[in-house]
Amino acid sequence: MHVQDNIELHPTTIVRQWAPFWWATLRVLLVLLVLTWWATVLARLTRLSPDTTRTPFVVAPGLTYLPDARVQLEGDWVVQQLGDGRLVATRTAGDRLHFRFAGTAAAVEVRTGPDAGAILVSIEDGRASLRSVKRFSLLRSSARLETVPIVNNLVPGIYSVEVTNEDGGELAVRALLIENSPGVWWAWLPPVVVGLTFLAHLLITWWSTLLEALGWFRSRPGKSEKNAFM
């Protein structure tokens, strides 16, 4: 009879033995889900996603090949065929290319080479609180397509860019490359550091409960357990 009682209590003992392990597993999974959710939401909140229906003439993040209706060409521009693609080109000083983009960085894919010259790039934001003019030389020893970063590390927003042929050398543009990176990357640090620290603590607890459930490790009895034995 005594042996039969022990057999009936054995399943309950197993449940109690593994209960801390399953609870620790659940907490680890919950923290992983929270960290994943936070990273996804923060990435969306810190990136600019313009409504293309409201801003149809703003170049969105990604690669935009020319000619394009959102890019204005002023001066004597021609369209050149390059394999399966095309370029817009000019050899007249003062000809300019103008576009607005939504993002944090912009680059132009141009043909550099011995016939290319220098370009002036003017950037300003929608409130005209940012104004910058940069000069880039496209002169190279051999002709090739090259991506020239013209502005980067901006706060997410809508900016106006004007590219001007400065000296009458060849200016041939194939595409625009717009990037849109998180503008407040430092906002990731506190929640991520705290979350990863808490996750490390939970993983250690999970491992300890697993060893205890398997019987490979026994934690020291607390005061209440010691008093019970006494």
Side-chain angles (χ1 to χ4, degrees), residues 39-52:
T40 303
V41 170
L42 189 60
R44 293 180 180 179
L45 291 178
T46 55
R47 291 174 186 261
L48 180 66
S49 299
D51 186 355
T52 55

Side-chain angles (χ1 to χ4, degrees), residues 1 64 83 99 109 125 150 153 155 164 197 215 223:
M1 188 67 180
T64 301
F99 65 94
E109 186 178 3
D125 60 8
I150 56 176
N153 297 326
V155 176
T164 304
T197 302
K223 293 183 179 180

Side-chain angles (χ1 to χ4, degrees), residues 10-225:
H10 186 65
T12 305
T13 304
I14 293 178
V15 172
R16 292 179 179 177
Q17 181 179 356
W18 283 90
F21 167 76
W22 294 119
W23 174 239
T25 303
L26 178 61
R27 289 190 297 175
V28 170
L29 293 177
L30 287 176
V31 171
L32 286 174
L33 288 175
V34 170
L35 285 174
T36 303
W37 173 83
W38 175 252
T40 303
V41 170
L42 189 60
R44 293 180 180 179
L45 291 178
T46 55
R47 291 174 186 261
L48 180 66
S49 299
D51 186 355
T52 55
T53 59
R54 295 183 178 181
T55 55
F57 296 105
V58 174
V59 180
L63 190 62
T64 301
Y65 292 98
L66 301 184
D68 188 279
R70 295 167 295 181
V71 180
Q72 302 174 8
L73 303 175
E74 299 180 8
D76 188 18
W77 292 82
V78 296
V79 178
Q80 298 178 348
Q81 195 69 28
L82 178 66
D84 296 333
R86 293 180 296 177
L87 300 93
V88 292
T90 179
R91 288 179 176 269
T92 303
D95 285 0
R96 62 191 63 188
L97 173 152
H98 181 269
F99 65 94
R100 299 171 66 208
F101 75 93
T104 58
V108 290
E109 186 178 3
V110 296
R111 182 167 59 199
T112 59
D115 296 334
I119 59 173
L120 290 178
V121 179
S122 172
I123 305 104
E124 69 177 39
D125 60 8
R127 300 181 302 273
S129 58
L130 170 69
R131 175 75 178 181
S132 175
V133 178
K134 301 179 180 180
R135 184 180 185 276
F136 299 89
S137 176
L138 306 181
L139 185 63
R140 303 289 187 274
S141 59
S142 60
R144 62 180 182 271
L145 287 176
E146 184 176 328
T147 300
V148 178
I150 56 176
V151 63
N152 50 34
N153 297 326
L154 297 173
V155 176
I158 297 179
Y159 297 89
S160 297
V161 176
E162 188 175 81
V163 180
T164 304
N165 187 335
E166 183 186 27
D167 53 10
E170 183 188 51
L171 172 58
V173 185
R174 181 171 183 259
L176 307 176
L177 177 61
I178 308 301
E179 296 182 1
N180 190 26
S181 302
V184 286
W185 58 268
W186 46 265
W188 291 63
L189 296 182
V192 169
V193 170
V194 172
L196 291 178
T197 302
F198 187 52
L199 178 61
H201 169 71
L202 291 181
L203 288 174
I204 294 173
T205 304
W206 174 84
W207 181 249
S208 300
T209 56
L210 176 61
L211 294 181
E212 290 181 13
L214 294 174
W216 297 350
F217 173 76
R218 295 293 181 186
S219 59
R220 295 182 179 180
K223 293 183 179 180
S224 58
E225 296 180 0

